[in-house]
Amino acid sequence: MAGRGTVKPHSGFNANNDAEVLYKAMKGLGTDEAAILQLLTARSNAQRQEIKAAYKTLHGKDLVDNLKSELGGKFESLIVALMIPPIMYDVKCLRDAIKGAGTDEKVLVEILASRSPNEVSQIKSLYKREHNDDLEEDVCGDTGGHFQRMLVVLLQALFAAGEQKFGTDEGQFITILGNRSNAHLRKVFEEYRKLSGYEIEESIQRETSGTLQEVLLAVVKCARSVPGYFADSLYSAMKGAGTDDKTLIRIMASRSEVDMLDIRAEFRKRFATSLHKMIQGDTSGDYRKALLLLCGGDDA
């Protein structure tokens, strides 16, 4: 997936210069939001970490704390998200989802179904290091029944080979989906369609409901196409009245360096509009400007 992001490392990067630009943008009365958003959306996450270190060295202050005190609302949330290293950001989102009032299952599903097995194991160990808690135990303590079993299977990321008969027993779906690589899953879906005459999604919708259904569909969508899964999630976050800004921020921040170009292409294929146009119509102000820079362009 190398190089499918819209945000690339800035050539001619100088952390000290960038730190100075940010310092000036926040110094004195008023804040130059435009300078902040233009700079930070044009640097890779690794470069933002270097800017943070340079800022601390030059000014003795924490850049993220300063940004938080100068910015506000959704724009602040987006900029702060961009400042967190990727695996740490996933850990933070998971922790907030588990420890907030009521579990935010959508976040657990999104992160655990879309990240690679290697990323999941990094997330698990960083979660342990940061919070001295076991991610699996936290998830189990917080979610019930089948959903919990599915998440645990995803967490363990056991990509076992070998065939298994399909049953409509929910435990079976969970075993088959949780223990597979995406390439293997796609073959299984194809076989399933030949044998049953149904797409696996149709069967999941018929045979299961509620959160379990959500998890299974997310896993299937990710196995078919991770960018397609994110395109669907972004569309859902913005369609109709109101906007799910938390989801919008989470996906735009976490995928901007990974596969945003593919997400945009999938979005354009699936819906009557482009991601750019939808963001433009659904958001406003500096928040909108920053999101559009992360989106990186319009697809006519």
Side-chain angles (χ1 to χ4, degrees), residues 271-288:
F271 308 111
T273 184
S274 65
L275 178 58
H276 192 278
K277 286 190 186 68
M278 197 149 184
I279 291 171
Q280 210 162 14
D282 233 62
T283 58
S284 62
D286 295 315
Y287 176 51
R288 168 164 63 190

Side-chain angles (χ1 to χ4, degrees), residues 6 261 264-265 267-268 273-280 292-293 295-300:
T6 45
L261 292 170
R264 270 171 43 191
F267 197 98
R268 194 66 198 84
T273 184
S274 65
L275 178 58
H276 192 278
K277 286 190 186 68
M278 197 149 184
I279 291 171
Q280 210 162 14
L292 290 174
L293 286 168
C295 178
D298 197 356
D299 308 280

Side-chain angles (χ1 to χ4, degrees), residues 144-202:
H146 286 302
F147 177 58
Q148 168 190 315
R149 299 217 319 267
M150 181 68 204
L151 283 177
V152 170
V153 171
L154 281 178
L155 276 176
Q156 289 168 337
L158 305 163
F159 286 75
E163 283 301 328
Q164 215 158 352
K165 298 269 190 300
F166 265 97
T168 58
D169 156 29
E170 288 181 340
Q172 284 282 72
F173 268 120
I174 291 171
T175 312
I176 292 167
L177 291 177
N179 295 334
R180 293 292 179 268
S181 72
N182 285 345
H184 181 77
L185 275 175
R186 286 193 293 272
K187 289 199 193 91
V188 172
F189 300 161
E190 189 44 42
E191 281 305 305
Y192 185 81
R193 198 176 54 77
K194 285 183 192 150
L195 290 171
S196 69
Y198 293 107
E199 291 293 356
I200 184 112
E201 288 92 332
E202 297 174 82

Side-chain angles (χ1 to χ4, degrees), residues 31-187:
T31 306
D32 185 352
E33 284 91 355
I36 294 172
L37 72 88
Q38 277 156 14
L39 191 145
L40 291 177
T41 57
R43 301 294 182 273
S44 68
N45 192 287
Q47 290 175 333
R48 293 180 207 127
Q49 304 314 315
E50 289 185 51
I51 297 169
K52 198 174 153 178
Y55 193 90
K56 183 83 172 162
T57 306
L58 294 167
H59 300 291
K61 293 182 172 138
D62 185 290
L63 174 56
V64 176
D65 288 347
N66 281 16
L67 287 165
K68 282 180 181 169
S69 69
E70 294 292 326
L71 310 175
K74 296 176 279 202
F75 178 53
E76 177 193 323
S77 303
L78 177 62
I79 294 295
V80 169
L82 292 175
M83 292 303 302
I84 305 172
I87 297 289
M88 179 69 91
Y89 184 61
D90 285 347
V91 166
K92 184 189 179 310
C93 291
L94 288 167
R95 183 73 173 182
D96 293 348
I98 291 166
K99 294 295 171 194
T103 313
D104 190 342
E105 282 155 348
K106 178 165 31 177
V107 178
L108 301 182
V109 172
E110 178 193 294
I111 292 175
L112 298 173
S114 66
R115 303 305 189 254
S116 69
N118 176 35
E119 286 166 333
V120 172
S121 69
Q122 286 180 14
I123 289 167
K124 279 167 68 172
S125 53
L126 185 61
Y127 190 94
K128 181 90 179 146
R129 213 170 62 225
E130 285 294 304
H131 302 293
N132 206 17
D133 282 331
D134 183 287
L135 179 57
E136 271 169 81
E137 283 171 21
D138 279 2
V139 166
C140 291
D142 231 57
T143 54
H146 286 302
F147 177 58
Q148 168 190 315
R149 299 217 319 267
M150 181 68 204
L151 283 177
V152 170
V153 171
L154 281 178
L155 276 176
Q156 289 168 337
L158 305 163
F159 286 75
E163 283 301 328
Q164 215 158 352
K165 298 269 190 300
F166 265 97
T168 58
D169 156 29
E170 288 181 340
Q172 284 282 72
F173 268 120
I174 291 171
T175 312
I176 292 167
L177 291 177
N179 295 334
R180 293 292 179 268
S181 72
N182 285 345
H184 181 77
L185 275 175
R186 286 193 293 272
K187 289 199 193 91

